[in-house]
Amino acid sequence: MTKPALTELLHAAVTAVGGVERPGQVTMAEAVEAAVDDGSHLLVQAGTGTGKSLGYLVPALAHGERVVVATATIALQRQLVQRDLPRTVEALHPLLRREPQYAMLKGRSNYLCLHRLHEGVPQEDGEGEGLFDPFEAAAPTSKLGKDLLRLRDWSDETETGDRDDLTPGVSDRAWSQVSVTSRECLGAQRCAYGAECFAEAARERAKLADVVVTNHALLAIDALEGAPVLPSHEVLIVDEAHELVSRVTGVATGELTPGRVNRAVKLASRLVNEKAADALLSASEGFERLMELALPGRLEELPEDLSYALMALRDACRLVLTSLGETRDRSVQDEDAVRKMARASVENVHEVAERIVEGSEYDVLWYERHDRFGASLRVAPLNVSGLLREKLFNERSVVLTSATLKIGGDFNGVGASLGLPPEGTQGTEDEDLPVWKGLDVGSPFDYRKQGILYVAKHLSQPGRDSGREDMLDELAELIEAAGGRTLGLFSSMRGAQAAAESLRGRLDHPILLQGEETLGELIRRFADDARTCLFGTLSLWQGVDVPGASCQLVVMDRIPFPRPDDPLMSARQKAVEEHGGNGFMAVAATHAALLMAQGAGRLIRATGDRGVVAVLDPRLATARYGGFLRNTMPDLWYTTDRNQVRRSLAAIDLAANEPAAAAEAVEAVEEAAVEGD
């Protein structure tokens, strides 16, 4: 049978989802097909509106081998499984003469555990029976009680047990009562509910699927753990690939807190012999005393007192784990569940303590202190490029795609963070290097006619003090000119809160602040009322998709460099410098460039969108690295003329309120473009 042409398949899929074929989408699909066929690797930058999901799904489905698609956000996972894949499979079925199967797979703690739901949660206070019923313990009228009752009712209705399918959601505290980690799970063979287990069912569906949709975190766990979590696959597609290094680093980061250690003590105390229990209690008390004195910052070397405390903790955990394997208390109801949870908690403490004590030149160690939760000790890999190179790019073709992969004009920066050599580098007999290609397929949007990049060059430079009155004055004037419609992206929560507090007192426009309501509700209210503004920090830089008149001004208060005292970022910067590189550009500037590109991408989400990205940090215009940052952002018309920007915003606002004036908005942006030239 003759294989259908890729263009024919892509046309059928695009028609099925109600989209429009884009030249960039076709180029991307052809490049993905070529990479999959020859087993090479591909980095694709595909701007907003390209239709990149179909750009990789169609050639992957046509290839006929199992494909894993890993994304960073729940929203994209849902879009793929609930919209793109069903329609695409239906459209391609008659052309391929087969019906590809697809499934979603997440970490075990994302699924409802029927054992926990029906049998209860292991006690943590060391008193009473081994299990308690959270439904009886929580007051029915409390928030927790209501959430738990909803979960019990939902368990009879859901087919997946997937937390993300529960709408509205429940608190983390409630979910923790009805879910388990992979270490806490009894296993399908030993669990009374194994045959009905939602997590096991998801795994079985994944084993039979042609396309498995997962997340970056599970992909990282699959790479880091000895036992595979994902089914074997011939093609890996990483969407939102700009997030991958951060997500893998998060999974590879260990943390110890007094609370976590005390939890291990409480869970294990009744299950082990007296010697082991006393040793762990004594070690935990010594660790807690040290943590009370801990000051935030990096630990270049492991202090002697901390080393002794961690060795005591490690050795005590070993005793407890040995004792857990020897003793069994038949008086404890459902002891397997209690023992599993205790073992998981103690193993976690043991592994982190041992990792820190053994030490590695490739790890970074630091203290953090939280106003509410106190001090924590954290250890993270200096970088994950070697891990990714070894685990991702062997024995399968990998496609990585995002709207922001070119940093400062090329792919080599992102490639290096992923463990890839410079593009075009050839391997040798002694070293087999991954072969990869970078491709920018552009965007269907005419950024220069649709938007303006305005840098407020006249403002004072931001310092450590967040109280920039001239910046707040400028922000207020821009919001007034835009008639609201403003997404404010701040480099810190303190800055967002200060701006909201100041402007609520002098503007008539409603100002929503991240943290005062769920993110989904804030975005809904922002999209529903054009006069409204939404202020927030990191998750807004990447998570807001509001096309149309409700978002016509995107403001960044300052260039989002990492904090100078960020232990991991500063360690990475220092490591680059020790090898003769420019640590600031390789780490701090690259971090800022990715965020600014993502933030600016919130403005133009559809072909009819018009607006302004305003950066209230003069360094983007005056500093030597300003060009590097601007080259990573969408190609908007660039200006520092504050009067022209106000006229353009007023015209865009008028067009939003009076559709007949839309031509004036286009002319206003184009006029600014001519002057910016």
Side-chain angles (χ1 to χ4, degrees):
M1 182 182 71
T2 304
K3 182 179 178 181
L6 180 65
T7 51
E8 182 184 2
L9 295 172
L10 186 61
H11 177 76
V14 171
T15 302
V17 300
V20 178
E21 277 188 56
R22 312 284 193 186
Q25 185 184 53
V26 176
T27 302
M28 176 180 178
E30 292 172 344
V32 172
E33 181 182 52
V36 169
D37 285 345
D38 65 20
S40 61
H41 312 300
L42 179 69
L43 272 64
V44 187
Q45 177 162 291
T48 305
T50 303
K52 61 182 169 65
S53 298
L54 292 187
Y56 59 70
L57 283 178
V58 171
L61 289 167
H63 186 64
E65 305 288 351
R66 180 180 287 127
V67 178
V68 167
V69 179
T71 78
T73 62
I74 293 170
L76 183 53
Q77 289 176 50
R78 282 180 173 167
Q79 177 188 313
L80 290 173
V81 173
Q82 295 177 7
R83 193 193 74 177
D84 293 348
L85 276 166
R87 297 179 186 179
T88 301
V89 165
E90 184 179 3
L92 299 189
H93 183 191
L95 298 171
L96 295 174
R97 305 288 179 87
R98 56 184 172 82
E99 185 175 4
Q101 302 297 305
Y102 54 88
M104 185 184 290
L105 184 61
K106 301 177 183 178
R108 188 172 292 274
S109 61
N110 290 279
Y111 299 96
L112 184 75
C113 173
L114 293 172
H115 185 278
R116 275 285 179 88
L117 184 79
H118 295 299
E119 305 299 335
V121 183
Q123 292 270 30
E124 293 188 21
D125 58 8
E127 298 178 3
E129 294 298 327
L131 297 159
F132 76 92
D133 186 344
F135 298 93
E136 293 180 2
T141 56
S142 68
K143 175 68 166 62
L144 176 62
K146 291 177 180 177
D147 281 350
L148 289 171
L149 289 174
R150 279 188 55 231
L151 282 165
R152 187 159 61 185
D153 292 341
W154 179 68
S155 69
D156 294 328
E157 305 166 1
T158 179
E159 294 182 1
T160 65
D162 185 337
R163 181 180 182 180
D164 294 326
D165 291 342
L166 175 63
T167 305
V170 296
S171 67
D172 289 345
R173 184 183 176 198
W175 186 256
S176 70
Q177 306 294 303
V178 296
S179 64
V180 295
T181 65
S182 58
R183 283 183 171 178
E184 295 167 344
C185 175
L186 293 173
Q189 300 302 317
R190 298 172 62 189
C191 179
Y193 303 90
E196 308 164 70
C197 177
F198 292 117
E200 289 299 320
R203 288 192 173 209
E204 290 304 313
R205 288 192 295 269
K207 289 177 183 178
L208 301 174
D210 300 280
V211 177
V212 179
V213 179
T214 187
N215 52 51
H216 289 181
L218 197 63
L219 178 63
I221 291 169
D222 188 68
L224 291 169
E225 301 289 341
V229 179
L230 298 170
S232 61
H233 51 282
E234 289 69 33
V235 180
L236 170 64
I237 296 170
V238 182
D239 205 338
E240 302 167 310
H242 63 278
E243 284 277 341
L244 182 61
V245 168
S246 173
R247 300 299 172 99
V248 173
T249 300
V251 170
T253 297
E255 181 181 31
L256 279 180
T257 66
R260 187 169 293 186
V261 175
N262 287 334
R263 181 171 186 265
V265 172
K266 290 176 181 177
L267 285 168
S269 60
R270 290 179 61 243
L271 299 173
V272 298
N273 61 51
E274 186 176 349
K275 178 183 178 182
D278 288 347
L280 186 56
L281 177 61
S282 176
S284 70
E285 290 172 345
F287 176 70
E288 186 168 6
R289 284 194 296 271
L290 272 182
M291 294 299 285
E292 288 174 355
L293 305 173
L295 297 175
R298 184 182 177 190
L299 299 172
E300 297 274 2
E301 294 183 1
L302 185 62
E304 189 174 21
D305 55 354
L306 179 59
S307 177
Y308 284 133
L310 291 174
M311 285 191 286
L313 203 54
R314 175 199 63 188
D315 295 344
C317 285
R318 283 179 183 163
L319 276 176
V320 167
L321 291 172
T322 300
S323 181
L324 277 172
E326 296 171 348
T327 59
R328 304 187 76 81
D329 184 353
R330 295 301 178 186
S331 68
V332 177
Q333 293 179 8
D334 205 343
E335 189 199 19
D336 279 344
V338 179
R339 187 174 295 273
K340 264 282 190 177
M341 193 170 181
R343 177 176 289 278
S345 187
V346 175
E347 280 178 344
N348 180 265
V349 172
H350 174 264
E351 287 173 7
V352 179
E354 186 170 54
R355 176 180 174 183
I356 297 173
V357 167
E358 289 182 348
S360 168
E361 60 181 312
Y362 303 110
D363 271 345
V364 179
L365 180 67
W366 73 96
Y367 282 127
E368 281 189 8
R369 183 166 286 281
H370 191 281
D371 291 341
R372 181 180 174 187
F373 301 111
S376 65
L377 181 64
R378 296 172 68 84
V379 58
L382 183 60
N383 67 65
V384 294
S385 58
L387 171 70
L388 290 173
R389 178 171 165 181
E390 176 188 353
K391 300 294 186 179
L392 284 196
F393 298 102
N394 284 332
E395 300 178 1
R396 59 183 168 186
S397 177
V398 182
V399 175
L400 301 111
T401 184
S402 166
T404 48
L405 286 181
K406 288 176 73 174
I407 307 300
D410 63 48
F411 291 94
N412 285 326
V414 169
S417 71
L418 296 166
L420 296 172
E423 187 175 6
T425 301
Q426 298 296 316
T428 64
E429 291 184 5
D430 298 326
E431 188 175 22
D432 186 19
L433 297 175
V435 178
W436 68 280
K437 174 184 177 183
L439 174 68
D440 182 0
V441 299
S443 168
F445 303 144
D446 191 342
Y447 285 115
R448 291 190 166 227
K449 289 187 176 181
Q450 291 184 247
I452 300 167
L453 172 60
Y454 164 57
V455 180
K457 187 178 178 181
H458 61 284
L459 295 180
S460 60
Q461 284 198 18
R464 301 198 74 142
D465 180 13
S466 60
R468 298 168 60 203
E469 287 302 320
D470 60 343
M471 183 274 288
L472 294 174
D473 292 341
E474 180 81 8
L475 177 56
E477 292 177 17
L478 290 170
I479 290 173
E480 289 281 29
R485 314 176 191 281
T486 301
L487 177 64
L489 305 176
F490 293 81
S491 58
S492 70
M493 202 61 229
R494 183 186 302 174
Q497 290 166 344
E501 183 179 344
S502 172
L503 298 192
R504 279 170 174 169
R506 55 168 132 168
L507 296 178
D508 291 332
H509 298 283
I511 295 177
L512 307 176
L513 179 63
Q514 185 178 1
E516 294 182 344
E517 181 53 85
T518 64
L519 186 56
E521 176 63 17
L522 288 173
I523 293 173
R524 185 193 65 76
R525 289 169 59 187
F526 176 55
D528 287 349
D529 181 4
R531 295 185 62 256
T532 297
C533 304
L534 173 58
F535 290 0
T537 183
L538 190 61
S539 57
L540 296 189
W541 289 75
Q542 301 174 309
V544 177
D545 184 7
V546 180
S550 292
C551 184
Q552 295 184 328
L553 173 62
V554 173
V555 180
M556 304 182 203
D557 70 326
R558 62 195 296 167
I559 298 171
F561 292 123
R563 296 191 331 266
D565 60 350
D566 182 300
L568 187 55
M569 288 295 192
S570 58
R572 288 176 172 176
Q573 191 164 316
K574 182 180 178 182
V576 172
E577 291 164 356
E578 288 175 347
H579 287 83
N582 186 324
F584 170 77
M585 293 301 295
V587 179
T590 295
H591 171 88
L594 278 172
L595 274 178
M596 294 190 80
Q598 287 288 316
R602 302 308 97 198
L603 181 68
I604 307 298
R605 311 298 295 177
T607 53
D609 286 352
R610 299 285 186 275
V612 172
V613 173
V615 181
L616 308 186
D617 186 337
R619 294 175 296 177
L620 190 62
T622 60
R624 284 185 297 175
Y625 52 77
F628 172 82
L629 298 176
R630 294 197 303 271
N631 284 341
T632 306
M633 299 169 73
D635 190 22
L636 306 168
W637 282 106
Y638 169 64
T639 185
T640 59
D641 186 339
R642 60 192 302 201
N643 294 321
Q644 175 59 62
V645 165
R646 282 158 176 72
R647 290 195 300 271
S648 298
L649 282 170
I652 294 168
D653 179 39
L654 176 65
N657 290 308
E658 300 179 26
E664 187 176 345
V666 176
E667 290 173 6
V669 175
E670 292 181 346
E671 179 187 349
V674 171
E675 295 193 9
D677 230 2

